[in-house]
Amino acid sequence: MNNSNGTRQGSTTWSNGDKDGLATDRGGLQRIRFGDVLKPLQIAAGQGQSWLNDFCNDDVMLPQDLVDVIQAFARMQAENKRLSRAD
């Protein structure tokens, strides 16, 4: 469901976005477009940045379709790895 300013809402109540287009919930979480974090995360992971590990146990909320794609990709990767060991 979207509210009047277009911020998608579930069970979390989001305030209006700030000047950077972010929306903050009452618990201090921020909503940000996936595309805005993807490239920096790719670069950080490629460089083996240790700060990424600081967030490994944190929960994140993702749209169900993205979760489905990530899980399918992980299954395909595991299957490819299994098949390459069989060779």
Side-chain angles (χ1 to χ4, degrees):
M1 170 194 337
N2 290 340
N3 65 16
S4 61
N5 70 358
T7 304
R8 211 159 102 176
Q9 291 180 269
S11 59
T12 303
T13 302
W14 298 89
S15 66
N16 292 332
D18 63 18
K19 67 180 186 318
D20 296 322
L22 302 175
T24 304
D25 79 355
R26 293 183 185 154
L29 300 175
Q30 290 191 334
R31 177 177 297 251
I32 186 169
R33 291 184 191 275
F34 183 70
D36 293 340
V37 298
L38 179 59
K39 190 64 172 178
L41 287 176
Q42 288 174 320
I43 293 168
Q47 294 176 350
Q49 295 288 322
S50 61
W51 60 265
L52 289 172
N53 293 327
D54 296 343
F55 300 96
C56 284
N57 292 321
D58 289 4
D59 292 332
V60 295
M61 294 183 70
L62 302 170
Q64 186 60 52
D65 58 343
L66 179 56
V67 171
D68 294 342
V69 169
I70 292 169
Q71 290 174 336
F73 178 77
R75 284 191 301 271
M76 288 184 343
Q77 291 295 104
E79 181 65 12
N80 288 342
K81 187 175 182 179
R82 185 187 68 78
L83 291 174
S84 67
R85 280 193 224 146
D87 292 338

